[in-house]
Amino acid sequence: MIPRKLTLIVVCFTLLFCDVSLSQELNANFARDPGQPIDQQYSDHIHKYTTDPSFISPLVDYLPASKTVPTPAKVLGDVSGAPDMLPYAEDVYKYFRLLEASSPRVKVFTIGHSEEGREMIAAAIADEKLLADARENDARLAQLADPRKIGLDDAKARQIIDQSWPVYYITGTIHSPETGAPTALMELAYRLAVDDAPYIKYIRSHMIVLITPVVEVDGRDRMVDIYKWHKAHPGEVWPRLLYWGHYVAHDNNRDAMAMTLALTRNVLDTYLGWHAQVLHDLHESVPFLYDNTVGDGPYNAWVDPILADEWAELGWNNVAEMQSFGMPGVFTHGDFDTWSPGYLMFLASMHNGISRLYETFGNGGADTEKRILQPEDYSRTWYRQNPPLPVVNWSQRDNNNYEESALLSTISYFSHNTHHFLENYYGKSKRAVEKPSLEGPAAYVLPADPADANRQVELVKVLKRQHVEIEQLSEAVTSTAPAAKRGDKPKDESFPAGSIVIRMDQPYSRVADALLDRQFWAAGDPQKHPYDDTGWSFSHLFNLKVVRVVDPKILKSKMTPLDNPSTLAGNVSGSGGVLVVANTGQISLLPLVYSPKLKVATVQVAEKAFEADGKHFAAGSLLITNAADGDVTKVLHDLSLDASRLGASPSVPVHAVTAPRIAFMHTWLGTQTEGWWRYAFDSAGVPFDYINTQTVAKQADLRSKYDVIVFAPVGRASTLEILNGIPLWNNPMPWQKSELTPNLGAIDSTSDIRPGLGYDGLAHLKEFIEQGGLLITCEDTAQFAIDTGLAPGVSVAPQGDARIVGTVLNTVFVNREHPVAFGYGPGVPVISAGGMAFNVSSILGRTGGRMLMDPLTDPLDPYAKRATGRGTVDDSDEPPGRKIAEPEPLVKQQPWEPKPLDEEQMRNNPLVIPEQSRPDVILRFSDGKSLLLDGLLDKGGSIAEHAVVVNAHLGQGNVLLFGNNPVYRGETIGTYPLVFNAILNFQHLAHDSAPAGKQTPNNKAVPQQGSLPGGAAQGSISE
Ligand SMILES: [Zn+2]
């Protein structure tokens, strides 16, 4: 169907020149009601703050007056988008509540609270008749959302559609430095409630517009604080916003998969609670308006094709409307791929709605600024024929004009096509329910297995937050699972009673499918710049067995709803005074030792595997004695930990566990990536002191206070930045609570964020480790540990031309008896941001790395090592006239091993690292063939089989280095225990406490680990 105005545009192009009357005719669709008076002063200010006549449209170049309804100026003191002014969330809400109090067309709701307890709201705007009927309308929409309720009957659906109004949900300022949306949405709400322009009356009477003006409410208030500080300190440099939300910054828009943050949950609950059709999220970055509704490929492989067409329809229409207003720099195709389902807006796509996102141009505050654009931003391209201007004086009002004009015109289009979009909504929902018969699979099954139960609980919690229905088999079932490889035969899988079933014949099957399936991003994909992670399979990242079942027979099996995931684990069996909790890679073994209920109990870690009560317990299992009975049972239940009672302690070597004293050390450079670690520790219930690099710089004797210091990733920080901080050339930049900045400094504070760790801090950190502390590092902080000599013998492996972009990779434990590997199988899937891996060396200062020393078996170049001479490439040269001298036999080295040293290299060499101080490789990447699990992997040979988790030794202590990020976006439940194991066993990471089998004889040219007898690696080399 060609919309009305699109037809006019086509006519325009046909005539080549649109005459004036036609142009007026075009925009007459948005003409105001000449009978309605305008608020002259407000309208004058709109014009005054708009920096160029082309930056405004007829939709927003006036404000209608109302005798009863206050304009945003009532709260703001000036118009929306006025310079030098940003309202706090509280003021924005105050205005929405004034609207509600003065207009029957506005209703305001609390939709939840942030981590720091700040309120989130939504306002519903429509004619009073629609709002009065909202409950009944929602009951109708609920039937379209879940077509099972009407027996998938299209005729019934059509009747419902005829009676129903759609809901269009707009969300603002999830990204706190993107400051324009709240004021734009205040004014938009006023216009929708008050304006009598025919097109607005049509919107009001045909749909409900739902608005959440501030999504990241904690971050908004801090951003306003900073802006106020900036205005009070003219000419000074102002700090960048560090903490946006309580935990993360920009990544709050990457939480739509795991749904860890309150804002994500509140928005989804509102979106689904209203059965809305669109979720339209407002952002600011590129000039002047990128409606990335169309975006670029590859599109997410799990969305309904109907949605892809809706994106095209809405995106191109919106651009065309804006073009008709003569506003430059509006486009909808661009390099944002729509692959990852992690963005907030994508909650709609994964729940049968429509996701949309605007990027308008923002100045990071309300200053009016000269902005100089880059050629890629102002160049004319096929999809941006009227590009942004190369140099521009830009105001917050300009931004608000673009946001409001685009929103009003697109909502107007939507209001004229409500039937069409509701039909699509029903169609997508119906096809989601019909998934098993249309394309499959029929279901995903998590086989009942006590070893997986703890992590199954975590996955079920995520799916519940996504509003996915979960069931449990009441009987054992055998079903057909698809073959692992194309061409192979499908195989039968048996699932015991109690196995978890995620049926695909439910309305939100799409999101479960997208999370649990596997992803493949072709190395040759035309999209060369993936916008975010290319792989995310939760089946892998939660380290779970998840079976994709295609056989629809399983849907007929007896099953019951699983309402409470906590019933899956937390059971205590047997009798006796010794409680044993098997280590099966749960995320709650570490939290257990901090439980106040276990204060009087004795907790020990079994250093070896053992059998008891007919069960197998892996090394790392916990033995608990002297616990108060009722207390411990409750704690185990709360932590989803199964336990067995034994009559007596098993005869197995143990070490005692105390609750390690943990400090989180953050920098003042960035607090996001470490924020995901804080989230994980907080939500698991692991307490820590939150300190920063400046604290460490000042504080000697850290070891007396802490056992473990977690230095989680900063996020692409260099070692020099960590040491030096921000240059001291300018003014101090405080991050603390003050009258001007009441929202800063609650999480941590400093009078000046500029100084870094410094060399004193580094010395204190070194001393902490040498005195027996454990420092945990990851990605850029692992690089920091290497650069500053805290991790002797470890270097970062050169990556060559390998391409890895947020890819899930396969790994192999090199030493399964290492405490960090406790509870794991042969390997664990890890997410790798860019393929960081390590080399280890037994000589200080050498980068180590692969030295294929056997000239005859070097697969890379078998001819390179053989000198010219007699014989074949496989022979040795034999100079005539003397006896044959055989060279020293060379020991083959694996990529994760240090280069073996011979007597020649060891002789009088002060750089040789003593045996007990050489790094231990715990985990390595798999070989090239089995390395990729999910996402993009191109030319992975340079990192294949290289170390990815290494424990380095310094003095009495240890430095754990992660090349992967084991605690990431709430998605990597499967690798949390790598970190937790290390903390729980921090005193047992040195060589001499490790199992004897992995010791190497001194001064012998043998590899340290991996190929030694007894280790897992022998068998795993050929995995
Ligand atoms: Zn943004």
Side-chain angles (χ1 to χ4, degrees), residues 175 178 250 283-284 359:
H175 283 162
E178 302 164 13
H250 193 268
H283 289 253
E284 288 165 29
E359 300 278 5

Side-chain angles (χ1 to χ4, degrees), residues 551-587:
D551 183 357
K553 212 171 64 209
I554 189 149
L555 300 173
K556 300 227 159 66
S557 311
K558 270 196 202 134
M559 54 184 93
T560 52
L562 173 61
D563 294 323
N564 182 5
S566 74
T567 57
L568 291 170
N571 305 310
V572 179
S573 63
S575 61
V578 182
L579 268 169
V580 192
V581 183
N583 189 334
T584 63
Q586 306 96 319
I587 64 162

Side-chain angles (χ1 to χ4, degrees), residues 96-97 99-101 103-108 123-126 131 189-190 193:
F96 274 90
R97 293 203 156 108
L99 276 181
E100 181 184 38
S103 167
R105 295 170 183 157
V106 180
K107 292 266 175 269
V108 178
I125 306 169
L131 288 184
Y190 176 86

Side-chain angles (χ1 to χ4, degrees), residues 162-198:
D162 285 342
Q163 301 161 2
S164 303
W165 317 115
V167 181
Y168 195 109
Y169 188 15
I170 305 167
T171 47
T173 200
I174 183 175
H175 283 162
S176 308
E178 302 164 13
T179 53
T183 49
L185 292 173
M186 288 162 76
E187 194 177 285
L188 184 86
Y190 176 86
R191 291 178 189 281
L192 288 172
V194 167
D195 201 327
D196 284 334

Side-chain angles (χ1 to χ4, degrees), residues 188 270 442 651 919:
L188 184 86
T270 307
S651 61

